[in-house]
Amino acid sequence: MIKHFLAATALAGAGLGSVSAEDWSYVGDTGPEHWGSLSDDFAVCSAGTQQSPIDLTGAISASGAAATLALNSISGVQVSRDAHGVTYSAESVDAGLTLGGVDYTLLQFHFHARSEHHIDGADFPMEVHFVTASETGALAVVGVMFEAGAAHPALDALWAAIPAEGETAAGPDMLSLDSFIPDQQPVFRYEGSLTTPPCAEIVSWTVFPEPIEASAEQIEAFTNLVEDNARPPLPAHRRYVLISD
């Protein structure tokens, strides 16, 4: 079942899978406001009522809302690049989370610039998404914001491994993911969607309100390689946004 969802999970931000580069983009007539009309398969991008990202505001305090994270380490990192971004996966994974008593394993992670989620109306220079799946194919994604500050210890090696568009390359042999998780533990939780076509409403989101730091040079290096790949926030409609207490 997890293999069945691999293409869909890659679509959670990096645009990999069966959707070809010419089908959609982040600008112009194939940009986010037009995704729902590009294909019948993308109709939920416009018609859906649980779309992501959203502006995380007005959250309700809730006990037990947080996922239990175990984003430890990965090895044999592989880096794939397409017209929509860069995806990092691994041959060996010791990383995942537990949500509602269900275990999820890390499939891949990727970056958006600027951030896709906003917090109380404010966005951030960059956001990383860790895409995980359960044995039954349920998806849970963790979002972490970046702000300009001190250099992040892992980003230089990740950026250096980015290949030319349409290619795959080897990344770091080993990568600890601990440095991507903020010290502050309260998190936002809500139900939403993939943030790229087909925009399927199948994702349990966990987003940290506390950003981590990357240097201005690291942020610029990524945005110079990957142009704006952020979907603007969508209406929350009747959804509740929870924050763990």
Side-chain angles (χ1 to χ4, degrees):
M1 181 67 75
I2 286 179
K3 288 183 178 179
H4 176 71
F5 277 84
L6 280 174
T9 54
L11 283 168
L16 303 179
S18 60
V19 181
S20 59
E22 62 268 18
D23 286 331
W24 61 274
S25 74
Y26 287 98
V27 295
D29 292 341
T30 56
E33 64 270 31
H34 302 290
W35 288 349
S37 62
L38 295 178
S39 166
D40 289 344
D41 293 334
F42 299 171
V44 71
C45 296
S46 296
T49 59
Q50 295 192 78
Q51 288 293 288
S52 297
I54 62 173
D55 181 16
L56 297 160
T57 188
I60 300 170
S61 181
S63 298
T68 301
L69 301 183
L71 294 175
N72 300 320
S73 62
I74 58 177
S75 60
V77 177
Q78 295 293 308
V79 190
S80 300
R81 181 179 178 184
D82 72 358
H84 309 121
V86 180
T87 300
Y88 297 86
S89 57
E91 296 175 357
S92 178
V93 174
D94 178 21
L97 59 85
T98 301
L99 181 63
V102 178
D103 293 330
Y104 294 75
T105 300
L106 180 72
L107 295 180
Q108 54 104 318
F109 64 97
H110 56 265
F111 298 83
H112 293 273
R114 295 186 60 90
S115 70
E116 295 200 302
H117 289 95
H118 291 196
I119 298 177
D120 291 328
D123 70 346
F124 294 81
M126 200 162 63
E127 180 178 355
V128 61
H129 290 163
F130 294 96
V131 182
T132 72
S134 72
E135 285 292 337
T136 62
L139 303 183
V141 182
V142 177
V144 181
M145 310 297 178
F146 286 84
E147 63 181 358
H152 189 280
L155 291 184
D156 288 345
L158 292 177
W159 292 177
I162 295 175
E165 187 176 313
E167 296 184 0
T168 299
D173 290 336
M174 291 287 297
L175 180 66
S176 173
L177 302 178
D178 293 345
S179 61
F180 289 99
I181 303 304
D183 292 333
Q184 181 188 7
Q185 288 307 305
V187 294
F188 294 112
R189 283 271 298 109
Y190 80 100
E191 298 303 309
S193 74
L194 305 175
T195 67
T196 64
C199 308
E201 296 178 339
I202 56 173
V203 179
S204 293
W205 279 95
T206 295
V207 181
F208 280 85
E210 179 71 18
I212 60 176
E213 293 185 352
S215 69
E217 292 78 11
Q218 289 175 324
I219 294 168
E220 183 179 10
F222 181 78
T223 55
N224 284 343
L225 284 169
V226 180
E227 296 182 359
D228 180 16
N229 66 341
R231 186 188 194 189
L234 281 299
H237 293 297
R238 295 179 180 272
R239 283 177 288 178
Y240 291 108
V241 176
L242 305 179
I243 189 165
S244 59
D245 56 17

